[in-house]
Amino acid sequence: MADKKKRTVKRSETLRERSQKEASKSDKPTKRRRVVKTASKPIKGASKAGRKEYHPFKLPDNKFGRRLNKRAHIMPKYFREAWEEIKQVEWPDARETTKLTTAVIVFALVLGAVVYVLDFGLNKIFREVLLG
C-alpha cells in the first residue's frame, strides 16, 4: 500500500481569539494616536493655564481679608464652560458624516423640486384666473 499522507486541517479562529488579537493590537499606539498626543500637549497646557487662579493682592487671613480676597481666573468663565461642553460632544466618524451630508443634499433637492413645481403650477393658475 502507498504511504498515506496525514492531512492537517487548519482550525478557524474563534471569536474570543479574534477579539483578544484585536485587543492586543489596540495596546500599541498607532501613528495617528502618537501624532494626536504630540499635537495635544500645547492645548492641554493652555487649558491648564486657563484653569489657574491668581489673587491680585494678598490680604490677611481674617473675615475681612477673605471677603475682599476674591479669586480671579485668567480665562473667562464663558470660555471655560464652552470648552467643557465641547469635550462632551461625540463627533461622528467619516462614514456617518458622509451619510448625513448626502441625506441633507437629497432633502434639499427634493424640497427645491417641490417648491419649483408648486410655484410653476400656481403661476399657471393665477395667470389663467387673473389674465384669462
Side-chain angles (χ1 to χ4, degrees), residues 29-65:
T30 60
K31 185 175 182 180
R32 180 179 176 188
R33 284 187 186 169
R34 287 192 308 257
V35 169
V36 167
K37 187 176 180 181
T38 305
S40 66
K41 283 182 183 178
I43 296 171
K44 286 181 182 177
S47 69
K48 285 180 184 177
R51 278 185 257 146
K52 286 185 181 175
E53 300 172 352
Y54 70 94
H55 299 276
F57 45 89
K58 197 72 173 163
L59 294 174
D61 191 26
N62 58 20
K63 193 174 185 179
F64 176 73

PDB file of all heavy atoms in Angstrom, residues 29-65:
ATOM      1  N   PRO A  29       0.372  51.972  20.422  1.00  0.00           N
ATOM      2  CA  PRO A  29      -0.101  53.259  19.905  1.00  0.00           C
ATOM      3  C   PRO A  29       0.145  53.357  18.398  1.00  0.00           C
ATOM      4  O   PRO A  29       1.237  53.069  17.922  1.00  0.00           O
ATOM      5  CB  PRO A  29       0.731  54.283  20.672  1.00  0.00           C
ATOM      6  CG  PRO A  29       1.920  53.542  21.168  1.00  0.00           C
ATOM      7  CD  PRO A  29       1.513  52.116  21.298  1.00  0.00           C
ATOM      8  N   THR A  30      -0.884  53.728  17.673  1.00  0.00           N
ATOM      9  CA  THR A  30      -0.741  53.879  16.233  1.00  0.00           C
ATOM     10  C   THR A  30      -0.083  55.217  15.934  1.00  0.00           C
ATOM     11  O   THR A  30       0.066  56.069  16.813  1.00  0.00           O
ATOM     12  CB  THR A  30      -2.117  53.821  15.552  1.00  0.00           C
ATOM     13  OG1 THR A  30      -2.917  54.894  16.064  1.00  0.00           O
ATOM     14  CG2 THR A  30      -2.809  52.500  15.806  1.00  0.00           C
ATOM     15  N   LYS A  31       0.305  55.398  14.690  1.00  0.00           N
ATOM     16  CA  LYS A  31       0.942  56.649  14.300  1.00  0.00           C
ATOM     17  C   LYS A  31      -0.013  57.815  14.529  1.00  0.00           C
ATOM     18  O   LYS A  31       0.380  58.879  14.999  1.00  0.00           O
ATOM     19  CB  LYS A  31       1.355  56.584  12.834  1.00  0.00           C
ATOM     20  CG  LYS A  31       2.125  57.790  12.374  1.00  0.00           C
ATOM     21  CD  LYS A  31       2.612  57.643  10.964  1.00  0.00           C
ATOM     22  CE  LYS A  31       3.422  58.857  10.554  1.00  0.00           C
ATOM     23  NZ  LYS A  31       3.911  58.751   9.188  1.00  0.00           N
ATOM     24  N   ARG A  32      -1.284  57.599  14.223  1.00  0.00           N
ATOM     25  CA  ARG A  32      -2.279  58.649  14.400  1.00  0.00           C
ATOM     26  C   ARG A  32      -2.394  59.048  15.870  1.00  0.00           C
ATOM     27  O   ARG A  32      -2.445  60.221  16.212  1.00  0.00           O
ATOM     28  CB  ARG A  32      -3.627  58.152  13.883  1.00  0.00           C
ATOM     29  CG  ARG A  32      -4.731  59.146  14.004  1.00  0.00           C
ATOM     30  CD  ARG A  32      -5.993  58.574  13.458  1.00  0.00           C
ATOM     31  NE  ARG A  32      -7.096  59.492  13.642  1.00  0.00           N
ATOM     32  CZ  ARG A  32      -8.345  59.204  13.409  1.00  0.00           C
ATOM     33  NH1 ARG A  32      -8.675  58.012  12.956  1.00  0.00           N
ATOM     34  NH2 ARG A  32      -9.286  60.084  13.605  1.00  0.00           N
ATOM     35  N   ARG A  33      -2.413  58.068  16.761  1.00  0.00           N
ATOM     36  CA  ARG A  33      -2.515  58.365  18.189  1.00  0.00           C
ATOM     37  C   ARG A  33      -1.292  59.124  18.680  1.00  0.00           C
ATOM     38  O   ARG A  33      -1.399  60.034  19.502  1.00  0.00           O
ATOM     39  CB  ARG A  33      -2.677  57.084  18.999  1.00  0.00           C
ATOM     40  CG  ARG A  33      -4.055  56.499  18.917  1.00  0.00           C
ATOM     41  CD  ARG A  33      -4.194  55.348  19.856  1.00  0.00           C
ATOM     42  NE  ARG A  33      -5.477  54.690  19.675  1.00  0.00           N
ATOM     43  CZ  ARG A  33      -5.796  53.538  20.211  1.00  0.00           C
ATOM     44  NH1 ARG A  33      -4.928  52.904  20.964  1.00  0.00           N
ATOM     45  NH2 ARG A  33      -6.976  53.005  20.004  1.00  0.00           N
ATOM     46  N   ARG A  34      -0.111  58.726  18.186  1.00  0.00           N
ATOM     47  CA  ARG A  34       1.106  59.421  18.596  1.00  0.00           C
ATOM     48  C   ARG A  34       1.089  60.868  18.139  1.00  0.00           C
ATOM     49  O   ARG A  34       1.464  61.775  18.880  1.00  0.00           O
ATOM     50  CB  ARG A  34       2.332  58.701  18.026  1.00  0.00           C
ATOM     51  CG  ARG A  34       2.648  57.392  18.714  1.00  0.00           C
ATOM     52  CD  ARG A  34       4.014  56.872  18.318  1.00  0.00           C
ATOM     53  NE  ARG A  34       4.201  56.812  16.877  1.00  0.00           N
ATOM     54  CZ  ARG A  34       4.146  55.698  16.142  1.00  0.00           C
ATOM     55  NH1 ARG A  34       3.902  54.557  16.723  1.00  0.00           N
ATOM     56  NH2 ARG A  34       4.334  55.741  14.853  1.00  0.00           N
ATOM     57  N   VAL A  35       0.621  61.104  16.908  1.00  0.00           N
ATOM     58  CA  VAL A  35       0.570  62.473  16.387  1.00  0.00           C
ATOM     59  C   VAL A  35      -0.427  63.306  17.179  1.00  0.00           C
ATOM     60  O   VAL A  35      -0.149  64.447  17.554  1.00  0.00           O
ATOM     61  CB  VAL A  35       0.207  62.467  14.878  1.00  0.00           C
ATOM     62  CG1 VAL A  35      -0.119  63.856  14.386  1.00  0.00           C
ATOM     63  CG2 VAL A  35       1.343  61.872  14.065  1.00  0.00           C
ATOM     64  N   VAL A  36      -1.591  62.729  17.468  1.00  0.00           N
ATOM     65  CA  VAL A  36      -2.610  63.449  18.234  1.00  0.00           C
ATOM     66  C   VAL A  36      -2.094  63.760  19.632  1.00  0.00           C
ATOM     67  O   VAL A  36      -2.296  64.861  20.150  1.00  0.00           O
ATOM     68  CB  VAL A  36      -3.920  62.636  18.297  1.00  0.00           C
ATOM     69  CG1 VAL A  36      -4.876  63.191  19.316  1.00  0.00           C
ATOM     70  CG2 VAL A  36      -4.567  62.594  16.932  1.00  0.00           C
ATOM     71  N   LYS A  37      -1.421  62.808  20.240  1.00  0.00           N
ATOM     72  CA  LYS A  37      -0.892  63.014  21.588  1.00  0.00           C
ATOM     73  C   LYS A  37       0.144  64.133  21.589  1.00  0.00           C
ATOM     74  O   LYS A  37       0.141  64.997  22.468  1.00  0.00           O
ATOM     75  CB  LYS A  37      -0.270  61.712  22.098  1.00  0.00           C
ATOM     76  CG  LYS A  37       0.160  61.756  23.533  1.00  0.00           C
ATOM     77  CD  LYS A  37       0.674  60.407  23.985  1.00  0.00           C
ATOM     78  CE  LYS A  37       1.110  60.456  25.428  1.00  0.00           C
ATOM     79  NZ  LYS A  37       1.631  59.176  25.883  1.00  0.00           N
ATOM     80  N   THR A  38       1.009  64.140  20.576  1.00  0.00           N
ATOM     81  CA  THR A  38       2.032  65.177  20.480  1.00  0.00           C
ATOM     82  C   THR A  38       1.408  66.538  20.222  1.00  0.00           C
ATOM     83  O   THR A  38       1.806  67.538  20.815  1.00  0.00           O
ATOM     84  CB  THR A  38       3.022  64.843  19.345  1.00  0.00           C
ATOM     85  OG1 THR A  38       3.547  63.537  19.572  1.00  0.00           O
ATOM     86  CG2 THR A  38       4.151  65.838  19.306  1.00  0.00           C
ATOM     87  N   ALA A  39       0.402  66.577  19.348  1.00  0.00           N
ATOM     88  CA  ALA A  39      -0.221  67.855  18.998  1.00  0.00           C
ATOM     89  C   ALA A  39      -1.083  68.395  20.122  1.00  0.00           C
ATOM     90  O   ALA A  39      -1.296  69.606  20.217  1.00  0.00           O
ATOM     91  CB  ALA A  39      -1.055  67.692  17.739  1.00  0.00           C
ATOM     92  N   SER A  40      -1.588  67.530  20.987  1.00  0.00           N
ATOM     93  CA  SER A  40      -2.495  67.990  22.036  1.00  0.00           C
ATOM     94  C   SER A  40      -1.766  68.514  23.267  1.00  0.00           C
ATOM     95  O   SER A  40      -2.398  69.126  24.131  1.00  0.00           O
ATOM     96  CB  SER A  40      -3.444  66.864  22.436  1.00  0.00           C
ATOM     97  OG  SER A  40      -2.722  65.820  23.045  1.00  0.00           O
ATOM     98  N   LYS A  41      -0.461  68.309  23.365  1.00  0.00           N
ATOM     99  CA  LYS A  41       0.274  68.780  24.539  1.00  0.00           C
ATOM    100  C   LYS A  41       0.168  70.291  24.734  1.00  0.00           C
ATOM    101  O   LYS A  41      -0.118  70.746  25.840  1.00  0.00           O
ATOM    102  CB  LYS A  41       1.734  68.340  24.471  1.00  0.00           C
ATOM    103  CG  LYS A  41       1.940  66.891  24.826  1.00  0.00           C
ATOM    104  CD  LYS A  41       3.395  66.509  24.799  1.00  0.00           C
ATOM    105  CE  LYS A  41       3.552  65.026  25.101  1.00  0.00           C
ATOM    106  NZ  LYS A  41       4.955  64.620  25.029  1.00  0.00           N
ATOM    107  N   PRO A  42       0.395  71.115  23.688  1.00  0.00           N
ATOM    108  CA  PRO A  42       0.262  72.563  23.906  1.00  0.00           C
ATOM    109  C   PRO A  42      -1.165  72.969  24.278  1.00  0.00           C
ATOM    110  O   PRO A  42      -1.369  73.885  25.075  1.00  0.00           O
ATOM    111  CB  PRO A  42       0.655  73.174  22.564  1.00  0.00           C
ATOM    112  CG  PRO A  42       1.359  72.118  21.819  1.00  0.00           C
ATOM    113  CD  PRO A  42       0.888  70.814  22.361  1.00  0.00           C
ATOM    114  N   ILE A  43      -2.153  72.280  23.716  1.00  0.00           N
ATOM    115  CA  ILE A  43      -3.548  72.609  24.017  1.00  0.00           C
ATOM    116  C   ILE A  43      -3.852  72.293  25.475  1.00  0.00           C
ATOM    117  O   ILE A  43      -4.513  73.068  26.165  1.00  0.00           O
ATOM    118  CB  ILE A  43      -4.496  71.847  23.071  1.00  0.00           C
ATOM    119  CG1 ILE A  43      -4.266  72.311  21.631  1.00  0.00           C
ATOM    120  CG2 ILE A  43      -5.937  72.029  23.468  1.00  0.00           C
ATOM    121  CD1 ILE A  43      -4.970  71.488  20.601  1.00  0.00           C
ATOM    122  N   LYS A  44      -3.364  71.152  25.957  1.00  0.00           N
ATOM    123  CA  LYS A  44      -3.584  70.802  27.357  1.00  0.00           C
ATOM    124  C   LYS A  44      -2.902  71.807  28.276  1.00  0.00           C
ATOM    125  O   LYS A  44      -3.457  72.186  29.308  1.00  0.00           O
ATOM    126  CB  LYS A  44      -3.065  69.393  27.642  1.00  0.00           C
ATOM    127  CG  LYS A  44      -3.939  68.305  27.085  1.00  0.00           C
ATOM    128  CD  LYS A  44      -3.387  66.946  27.423  1.00  0.00           C
ATOM    129  CE  LYS A  44      -4.263  65.865  26.810  1.00  0.00           C
ATOM    130  NZ  LYS A  44      -3.728  64.528  27.043  1.00  0.00           N
ATOM    131  N   GLY A  45      -1.708  72.251  27.898  1.00  0.00           N
ATOM    132  CA  GLY A  45      -1.015  73.254  28.702  1.00  0.00           C
ATOM    133  C   GLY A  45      -1.787  74.549  28.763  1.00  0.00           C
ATOM    134  O   GLY A  45      -1.890  75.185  29.816  1.00  0.00           O
ATOM    135  N   ALA A  46      -2.364  74.956  27.632  1.00  0.00           N
ATOM    136  CA  ALA A  46      -3.146  76.185  27.599  1.00  0.00           C
ATOM    137  C   ALA A  46      -4.416  76.039  28.432  1.00  0.00           C
ATOM    138  O   ALA A  46      -4.835  76.978  29.106  1.00  0.00           O
ATOM    139  CB  ALA A  46      -3.500  76.551  26.162  1.00  0.00           C
ATOM    140  N   SER A  47      -5.036  74.863  28.390  1.00  0.00           N
ATOM    141  CA  SER A  47      -6.259  74.679  29.176  1.00  0.00           C
ATOM    142  C   SER A  47      -5.947  74.686  30.667  1.00  0.00           C
ATOM    143  O   SER A  47      -6.737  75.174  31.472  1.00  0.00           O
ATOM    144  CB  SER A  47      -6.976  73.391  28.776  1.00  0.00           C
ATOM    145  OG  SER A  47      -6.230  72.266  29.183  1.00  0.00           O
ATOM    146  N   LYS A  48      -4.775  74.155  31.055  1.00  0.00           N
ATOM    147  CA  LYS A  48      -4.390  74.207  32.463  1.00  0.00           C
ATOM    148  C   LYS A  48      -4.146  75.640  32.898  1.00  0.00           C
ATOM    149  O   LYS A  48      -4.510  76.040  33.997  1.00  0.00           O
ATOM    150  CB  LYS A  48      -3.135  73.361  32.706  1.00  0.00           C
ATOM    151  CG  LYS A  48      -3.384  71.874  32.697  1.00  0.00           C
ATOM    152  CD  LYS A  48      -2.112  71.116  32.944  1.00  0.00           C
ATOM    153  CE  LYS A  48      -2.355  69.619  32.829  1.00  0.00           C
ATOM    154  NZ  LYS A  48      -1.109  68.857  32.993  1.00  0.00           N
ATOM    155  N   ALA A  49      -3.548  76.428  32.014  1.00  0.00           N
ATOM    156  CA  ALA A  49      -3.307  77.835  32.340  1.00  0.00           C
ATOM    157  C   ALA A  49      -4.626  78.573  32.494  1.00  0.00           C
ATOM    158  O   ALA A  49      -4.746  79.483  33.314  1.00  0.00           O
ATOM    159  CB  ALA A  49      -2.461  78.486  31.247  1.00  0.00           C
ATOM    160  N   GLY A  50      -5.637  78.199  31.724  1.00  0.00           N
ATOM    161  CA  GLY A  50      -6.942  78.843  31.823  1.00  0.00           C
ATOM    162  C   GLY A  50      -7.653  78.518  33.120  1.00  0.00           C
ATOM    163  O   GLY A  50      -8.495  79.279  33.576  1.00  0.00           O
ATOM    164  N   ARG A  51      -7.332  77.377  33.733  1.00  0.00           N
ATOM    165  CA  ARG A  51      -7.979  76.985  34.978  1.00  0.00           C
ATOM    166  C   ARG A  51      -7.294  77.569  36.210  1.00  0.00           C
ATOM    167  O   ARG A  51      -7.832  77.545  37.291  1.00  0.00           O
ATOM    168  CB  ARG A  51      -7.995  75.463  35.102  1.00  0.00           C
ATOM    169  CG  ARG A  51      -9.131  74.845  34.329  1.00  0.00           C
ATOM    170  CD  ARG A  51      -9.195  73.376  34.560  1.00  0.00           C
ATOM    171  NE  ARG A  51      -8.629  72.750  33.365  1.00  0.00           N
ATOM    172  CZ  ARG A  51      -7.929  71.648  33.350  1.00  0.00           C
ATOM    173  NH1 ARG A  51      -7.696  70.998  34.433  1.00  0.00           N
ATOM    174  NH2 ARG A  51      -7.451  71.170  32.222  1.00  0.00           N
ATOM    175  N   LYS A  52      -6.076  78.054  36.025  1.00  0.00           N
ATOM    176  CA  LYS A  52      -5.342  78.580  37.170  1.00  0.00           C
ATOM    177  C   LYS A  52      -6.014  79.828  37.697  1.00  0.00           C
ATOM    178  O   LYS A  52      -6.605  80.599  36.962  1.00  0.00           O
ATOM    179  CB  LYS A  52      -3.900  78.904  36.772  1.00  0.00           C
ATOM    180  CG  LYS A  52      -3.041  77.687  36.600  1.00  0.00           C
ATOM    181  CD  LYS A  52      -1.625  78.074  36.324  1.00  0.00           C
ATOM    182  CE  LYS A  52      -0.763  76.846  36.131  1.00  0.00           C
ATOM    183  NZ  LYS A  52       0.597  77.198  35.750  1.00  0.00           N
ATOM    184  N   GLU A  53      -5.879  79.996  38.975  1.00  0.00           N
ATOM    185  CA  GLU A  53      -6.426  81.175  39.627  1.00  0.00           C
ATOM    186  C   GLU A  53      -5.263  82.025  40.110  1.00  0.00           C
ATOM    187  O   GLU A  53      -4.195  81.511  40.435  1.00  0.00           O
ATOM    188  CB  GLU A  53      -7.283  80.770  40.824  1.00  0.00           C
ATOM    189  CG  GLU A  53      -8.445  79.891  40.461  1.00  0.00           C
ATOM    190  CD  GLU A  53      -9.147  79.351  41.682  1.00  0.00           C
ATOM    191  OE1 GLU A  53      -8.640  79.539  42.806  1.00  0.00           O
ATOM    192  OE2 GLU A  53     -10.203  78.740  41.502  1.00  0.00           O
ATOM    193  N   TYR A  54      -5.476  83.279  40.141  1.00  0.00           N
ATOM    194  CA  TYR A  54      -4.465  84.143  40.722  1.00  0.00           C
ATOM    195  C   TYR A  54      -5.169  85.142  41.632  1.00  0.00           C
ATOM    196  O   TYR A  54      -6.338  85.454  41.469  1.00  0.00           O
ATOM    197  CB  TYR A  54      -3.643  84.855  39.647  1.00  0.00           C
ATOM    198  CG  TYR A  54      -4.399  85.901  38.873  1.00  0.00           C
ATOM    199  CD1 TYR A  54      -4.357  87.227  39.255  1.00  0.00           C
ATOM    200  CD2 TYR A  54      -5.166  85.551  37.766  1.00  0.00           C
ATOM    201  CE1 TYR A  54      -5.063  88.186  38.550  1.00  0.00           C
ATOM    202  CE2 TYR A  54      -5.868  86.509  37.066  1.00  0.00           C
ATOM    203  CZ  TYR A  54      -5.802  87.823  37.462  1.00  0.00           C
ATOM    204  OH  TYR A  54      -6.500  88.762  36.774  1.00  0.00           O
ATOM    205  N   HIS A  55      -4.459  85.612  42.606  1.00  0.00           N
ATOM    206  CA  HIS A  55      -5.003  86.583  43.540  1.00  0.00           C
ATOM    207  C   HIS A  55      -4.317  87.913  43.257  1.00  0.00           C
ATOM    208  O   HIS A  55      -3.095  88.006  43.343  1.00  0.00           O
ATOM    209  CB  HIS A  55      -4.755  86.136  44.987  1.00  0.00           C
ATOM    210  CG  HIS A  55      -5.410  84.826  45.290  1.00  0.00           C
ATOM    211  ND1 HIS A  55      -6.723  84.741  45.665  1.00  0.00           N
ATOM    212  CD2 HIS A  55      -4.957  83.547  45.239  1.00  0.00           C
ATOM    213  CE1 HIS A  55      -7.043  83.476  45.861  1.00  0.00           C
ATOM    214  NE2 HIS A  55      -6.001  82.723  45.599  1.00  0.00           N
ATOM    215  N   PRO A  56      -5.092  88.930  42.899  1.00  0.00           N
ATOM    216  CA  PRO A  56      -4.482  90.206  42.534  1.00  0.00           C
ATOM    217  C   PRO A  56      -3.621  90.788  43.652  1.00  0.00           C
ATOM    218  O   PRO A  56      -2.576  91.356  43.404  1.00  0.00           O
ATOM    219  CB  PRO A  56      -5.672  91.116  42.250  1.00  0.00           C
ATOM    220  CG  PRO A  56      -6.836  90.212  42.061  1.00  0.00           C
ATOM    221  CD  PRO A  56      -6.529  88.954  42.779  1.00  0.00           C
ATOM    222  N   PHE A  57      -4.045  90.633  44.877  1.00  0.00           N
ATOM    223  CA  PHE A  57      -3.248  91.109  46.003  1.00  0.00           C
ATOM    224  C   PHE A  57      -3.570  90.240  47.204  1.00  0.00           C
ATOM    225  O   PHE A  57      -4.646  89.674  47.323  1.00  0.00           O
ATOM    226  CB  PHE A  57      -3.499  92.595  46.301  1.00  0.00           C
ATOM    227  CG  PHE A  57      -4.947  92.962  46.295  1.00  0.00           C
ATOM    228  CD1 PHE A  57      -5.700  92.868  47.450  1.00  0.00           C
ATOM    229  CD2 PHE A  57      -5.563  93.392  45.131  1.00  0.00           C
ATOM    230  CE1 PHE A  57      -7.035  93.196  47.447  1.00  0.00           C
ATOM    231  CE2 PHE A  57      -6.906  93.717  45.124  1.00  0.00           C
ATOM    232  CZ  PHE A  57      -7.657  93.626  46.280  1.00  0.00           C
ATOM    233  N   LYS A  58      -2.595  90.120  48.081  1.00  0.00           N
ATOM    234  CA  LYS A  58      -2.736  89.240  49.237  1.00  0.00           C
ATOM    235  C   LYS A  58      -3.201  90.054  50.440  1.00  0.00           C
ATOM    236  O   LYS A  58      -2.615  91.067  50.770  1.00  0.00           O
ATOM    237  CB  LYS A  58      -1.384  88.579  49.521  1.00  0.00           C
ATOM    238  CG  LYS A  58      -1.464  87.392  50.401  1.00  0.00           C
ATOM    239  CD  LYS A  58      -2.089  86.235  49.688  1.00  0.00           C
ATOM    240  CE  LYS A  58      -2.001  84.995  50.543  1.00  0.00           C
ATOM    241  NZ  LYS A  58      -2.886  83.979  50.110  1.00  0.00           N
ATOM    242  N   LEU A  59      -4.260  89.606  51.059  1.00  0.00           N
ATOM    243  CA  LEU A  59      -4.795  90.259  52.246  1.00  0.00           C
ATOM    244  C   LEU A  59      -4.674  89.319  53.444  1.00  0.00           C
ATOM    245  O   LEU A  59      -4.483  88.116  53.276  1.00  0.00           O
ATOM    246  CB  LEU A  59      -6.263  90.642  52.015  1.00  0.00           C
ATOM    247  CG  LEU A  59      -6.507  91.714  50.957  1.00  0.00           C
ATOM    248  CD1 LEU A  59      -7.994  91.881  50.720  1.00  0.00           C
ATOM    249  CD2 LEU A  59      -5.899  93.031  51.377  1.00  0.00           C
ATOM    250  N   PRO A  60      -4.792  89.841  54.631  1.00  0.00           N
ATOM    251  CA  PRO A  60      -4.669  88.976  55.821  1.00  0.00           C
ATOM    252  C   PRO A  60      -5.772  87.922  55.863  1.00  0.00           C
ATOM    253  O   PRO A  60      -6.840  88.100  55.296  1.00  0.00           O
ATOM    254  CB  PRO A  60      -4.790  89.959  56.990  1.00  0.00           C
ATOM    255  CG  PRO A  60      -5.395  91.184  56.431  1.00  0.00           C
ATOM    256  CD  PRO A  60      -5.044  91.225  54.975  1.00  0.00           C
ATOM    257  N   ASP A  61      -5.472  86.822  56.526  1.00  0.00           N
ATOM    258  CA  ASP A  61      -6.420  85.718  56.606  1.00  0.00           C
ATOM    259  C   ASP A  61      -7.380  85.927  57.777  1.00  0.00           C
ATOM    260  O   ASP A  61      -7.275  85.293  58.821  1.00  0.00           O
ATOM    261  CB  ASP A  61      -5.661  84.396  56.748  1.00  0.00           C
ATOM    262  CG  ASP A  61      -6.586  83.211  56.564  1.00  0.00           C
ATOM    263  OD1 ASP A  61      -7.614  83.369  55.871  1.00  0.00           O
ATOM    264  OD2 ASP A  61      -6.300  82.146  57.117  1.00  0.00           O
ATOM    265  N   ASN A  62      -8.293  86.850  57.603  1.00  0.00           N
ATOM    266  CA  ASN A  62      -9.356  87.056  58.576  1.00  0.00           C
ATOM    267  C   ASN A  62     -10.654  87.258  57.809  1.00  0.00           C
ATOM    268  O   ASN A  62     -10.679  87.157  56.589  1.00  0.00           O
ATOM    269  CB  ASN A  62      -9.038  88.230  59.510  1.00  0.00           C
ATOM    270  CG  ASN A  62      -8.821  89.527  58.750  1.00  0.00           C
ATOM    271  OD1 ASN A  62      -9.251  89.664  57.610  1.00  0.00           O
ATOM    272  ND2 ASN A  62      -8.151  90.467  59.374  1.00  0.00           N
ATOM    273  N   LYS A  63     -11.739  87.531  58.506  1.00  0.00           N
ATOM    274  CA  LYS A  63     -13.035  87.654  57.853  1.00  0.00           C
ATOM    275  C   LYS A  63     -13.029  88.755  56.797  1.00  0.00           C
ATOM    276  O   LYS A  63     -13.522  88.580  55.682  1.00  0.00           O
ATOM    277  CB  LYS A  63     -14.105  87.930  58.916  1.00  0.00           C
ATOM    278  CG  LYS A  63     -15.504  87.769  58.436  1.00  0.00           C
ATOM    279  CD  LYS A  63     -16.479  87.914  59.599  1.00  0.00           C
ATOM    280  CE  LYS A  63     -17.885  87.631  59.142  1.00  0.00           C
ATOM    281  NZ  LYS A  63     -18.835  87.746  60.250  1.00  0.00           N
ATOM    282  N   PHE A  64     -12.454  89.867  57.119  1.00  0.00           N
ATOM    283  CA  PHE A  64     -12.376  90.990  56.190  1.00  0.00           C
ATOM    284  C   PHE A  64     -11.527  90.629  54.963  1.00  0.00           C
ATOM    285  O   PHE A  64     -11.891  90.891  53.822  1.00  0.00           O
ATOM    286  CB  PHE A  64     -11.800  92.214  56.922  1.00  0.00           C
ATOM    287  CG  PHE A  64     -11.600  93.405  56.027  1.00  0.00           C
ATOM    288  CD1 PHE A  64     -12.692  94.134  55.577  1.00  0.00           C
ATOM    289  CD2 PHE A  64     -10.329  93.786  55.636  1.00  0.00           C
ATOM    290  CE1 PHE A  64     -12.514  95.228  54.758  1.00  0.00           C
ATOM    291  CE2 PHE A  64     -10.152  94.871  54.816  1.00  0.00           C
ATOM    292  CZ  PHE A  64     -11.245  95.606  54.375  1.00  0.00           C
ATOM    293  N   GLY A  65     -10.404  89.993  55.199  1.00  0.00           N
ATOM    294  CA  GLY A  65      -9.499  89.628  54.106  1.00  0.00           C
ATOM    295  C   GLY A  65     -10.101  88.585  53.187  1.00  0.00           C
ATOM    296  O   GLY A  65      -9.918  88.629  51.970  1.00  0.00           O
TER     297      GLY A  65
END
